């Protein structure tokens, strides 16, 4: 199979038939063998019934229905597990991503040898203050922190080699950072393509300003995981040893001063250096214990299901 199109969605019933017809026309005109995977992330507007109808009319349409809303990352994870295509295309269900981009994205993976290609919505039809400016700031921070030189990390339109999606773990709200996850997994040939962005035709956006706050917090998380996720003791242990050494040095100074240099001076407990030594040694011990516990958790963690599937076709 040439292409799997993975489409996570939440309450997008009005756009599904039009999106399906558009994708099917593109696939047929380019003679691609394909499947369309709709991942219903707990919709309550009848989206699943529409997906079932599409599946009855087109055997290339498949679907997964979550028991409730688990989030876009979990939806992508479920779609990636089920996808069979040589190239996996992800796109949003709101008709803001253009299926006409699919053939060129496919060729960039197959002919140009990219591991993944991310779309870049250079010209956007979103609110400047609430989306465009925060998005530019977010993408700048992501580039600086991750080292992945993309202009638009959060674009839903992306293409992947089959083995990329099978070897990355998209969890939490890490769908924004799939290029970083791919890079950390060893897939370093990451490309970018300017894609057409279209104004939303139906419904309203499911994301507010809080997504940028969550995005920056997730950016810190992925920075930490990429550097210390497999060796937390290297960070916390180093900080713990440094803090403990500072506290011990103050303690040693106070002891030598009281015993040999100024035995008739103030009590040790009346001096601020005593409290600096005490606090830093306690903090150092806590950092060291945190690193030790992190190592234990890392070695004993269990892989649990992050979502529950209600139905599938």
């Amino acid at each position: 199979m040439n292409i799997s199109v993975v489409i996570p969605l939440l309450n997008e019933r009005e756009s599904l038939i039009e999106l399906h017809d558009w994708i099917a026309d593109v696939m047929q005109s380019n003679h691609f063998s394909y499947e369309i995977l709709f991942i219903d992330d707990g919709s309550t507007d009848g989206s699943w019934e529409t997906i079932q109808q599409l599946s009855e009319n087109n055997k290339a349409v498949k679907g997964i229905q979550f028991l409730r809303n688990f989030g876009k990352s979990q939806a992508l994870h479920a779609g990636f597990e089920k996808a069979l295509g040589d190239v996996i295309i992800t796109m949003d269900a709101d008709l803001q991503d253009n299926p006409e981009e699919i053939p060129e994205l496919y060729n960039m993976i197959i002919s140009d040898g990219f591991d993944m290609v991310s779309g870049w919505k250079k010209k956007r039809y979103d609110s400047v203050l609430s989306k465009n400016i925060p998005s530019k700031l977010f993408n700048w921070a992501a580039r600086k922190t991750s080292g992945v030189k993309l202009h638009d990390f959060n674009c839903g339109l992306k293409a992947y080699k089959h083995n990329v999606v099978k070897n990355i773990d998209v969890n939490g709200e890490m769908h924004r950072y799939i290029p970083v996850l791919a890079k950390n997994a060893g897939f370093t040939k990451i490309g970018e393509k300017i894609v057409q962005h279209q104004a939303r035709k139906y419904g309203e956006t499911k994301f507010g300003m809080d997504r940028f706050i969550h995005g920056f917090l997730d950016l810190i998380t992925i920075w930490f995981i990429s550097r210390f996720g497999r060796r937390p003791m290297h960070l916390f242990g180093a900080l713990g040893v440094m803090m403990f050494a500072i506290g011990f040095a103050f303690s040693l100074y106070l002891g030598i001063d009281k015993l040999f240099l100024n035995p008739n001076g103030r009590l040790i407990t009346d001096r601020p250096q005593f409290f600096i030594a005490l606090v830093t040694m306690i903090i150092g011990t806590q950092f060291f214990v945190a690193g030790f516990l992190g190592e234990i958790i890392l070695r004993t963690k269990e892989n649990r299901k992050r979502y529950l599937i209600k139905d599938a076709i």
Side-chain angles (χ1 to χ4, degrees):
M1 183 181 296
N2 298 132
I3 298 175
S4 295
V5 183
V6 177
I7 306 174
L9 62 105
L10 175 63
N11 296 332
E12 299 285 1
R13 178 180 59 84
E14 295 175 305
S15 65
L16 291 180
I17 294 177
E18 185 175 342
L19 177 61
H20 163 268
D21 293 344
W22 197 355
I23 293 173
D25 286 343
V26 170
M27 296 299 182
Q28 292 165 11
S29 63
N30 288 274
H31 307 290
F32 290 134
S33 57
Y34 71 99
E35 64 179 356
I36 304 174
L37 295 167
F38 289 106
I39 318 298
D40 183 359
D41 188 19
S43 297
T44 57
D45 69 340
S47 292
W48 182 245
E49 287 73 18
T50 301
I51 294 170
Q52 288 177 314
Q53 293 172 8
L54 291 170
S55 180
E56 291 174 1
N57 298 325
N58 181 359
K59 296 305 180 183
V61 174
K62 302 172 185 177
I64 295 174
Q65 182 188 28
F66 284 178
L67 196 61
R68 64 169 178 82
N69 177 237
F70 285 95
K72 186 174 182 179
S73 291
Q74 323 315 321
L76 288 172
H77 184 275
F80 288 165
E81 280 198 330
K82 193 171 182 179
L84 299 174
D86 297 328
V87 174
I88 288 79
I89 305 286
T90 61
M91 63 192 323
D92 295 333
D94 54 12
L95 295 174
Q96 290 191 283
D97 294 330
N98 189 339
E100 301 290 345
E101 307 281 359
I102 290 176
E104 189 170 347
L105 288 170
Y106 175 82
N107 289 331
M108 291 179 73
I109 297 293
I110 298 299
S111 301
D112 298 339
F114 285 102
D115 294 319
M116 72 163 289
V117 179
S118 180
W120 174 17
K121 296 174 180 175
K122 192 172 184 179
K123 182 179 180 180
R124 302 182 66 98
Y125 293 94
D126 295 320
S127 168
V128 174
L129 290 178
S130 65
K131 280 196 172 182
N132 285 5
I133 294 177
S135 181
K136 289 181 183 298
L137 180 61
F138 165 79
N139 285 309
W140 173 83
R143 284 194 299 274
K144 293 296 183 182
T145 304
S146 68
V148 179
K149 304 303 180 183
L150 295 178
H151 291 86
D152 191 355
F153 281 80
N154 207 32
C155 178
L157 186 57
K158 292 182 172 68
Y160 310 84
K161 276 185 180 177
H162 179 88
N163 63 332
V164 173
V165 302
K166 300 301 182 181
N167 288 285
I168 58 175
D169 185 16
V170 187
N171 56 63
E173 292 188 21
M174 293 299 177
H175 58 273
R176 303 177 182 90
Y177 302 110
I178 291 180
V180 184
L181 296 176
K183 177 192 173 187
N184 291 342
F187 301 103
T188 56
K189 194 166 184 183
I190 299 173
E192 187 172 50
K193 179 186 182 301
I194 296 175
V195 297
Q196 181 181 352
H197 183 230
Q198 303 179 137
R200 174 178 275 273
K201 190 173 181 179
Y202 303 106
E204 58 185 22
T205 181
K206 310 301 187 299
F207 302 100
M209 284 294 293
D210 60 336
R211 74 169 181 162
F212 294 107
I213 298 174
H214 297 160
F216 281 114
L217 295 176
D218 289 337
L219 184 60
I220 296 172
T221 300
I222 202 168
W223 172 85
F224 172 80
I225 290 174
S226 65
R227 285 169 169 76
F228 304 105
R230 298 183 183 276
R231 43 191 173 90
M233 181 59 89
H234 286 203
L235 174 65
F236 293 110
L239 289 173
V241 170
M242 181 180 68
M243 296 296 289
F244 192 89
I246 292 172
F248 183 79
F250 273 109
S251 299
L252 185 63
Y253 161 74
L254 290 173
I256 293 174
D257 184 65
K258 186 64 178 176
L259 291 174
F260 302 109
L261 302 179
N262 192 15
N264 297 321
R266 289 181 297 170
L267 294 174
I268 290 179
T269 54
D270 290 336
R271 303 176 68 172
Q273 292 91 335
F274 169 77
F275 296 101
I276 294 174
L278 186 63
V279 169
T280 52
M281 290 177 75
I282 291 174
I283 292 175
T285 302
Q286 289 177 329
F287 271 130
F288 193 87
V289 170
F292 183 68
L293 291 176
E295 293 283 348
I296 293 176
I297 292 170
L298 189 65
R299 285 160 175 73
T300 59
K301 69 175 182 178
E302 297 180 357
N303 292 322
R304 297 183 299 172
K305 293 289 288 183
R306 295 193 299 272
Y307 50 85
L308 299 175
I309 294 174
K310 181 179 180 180
D311 198 3
I313 52 178

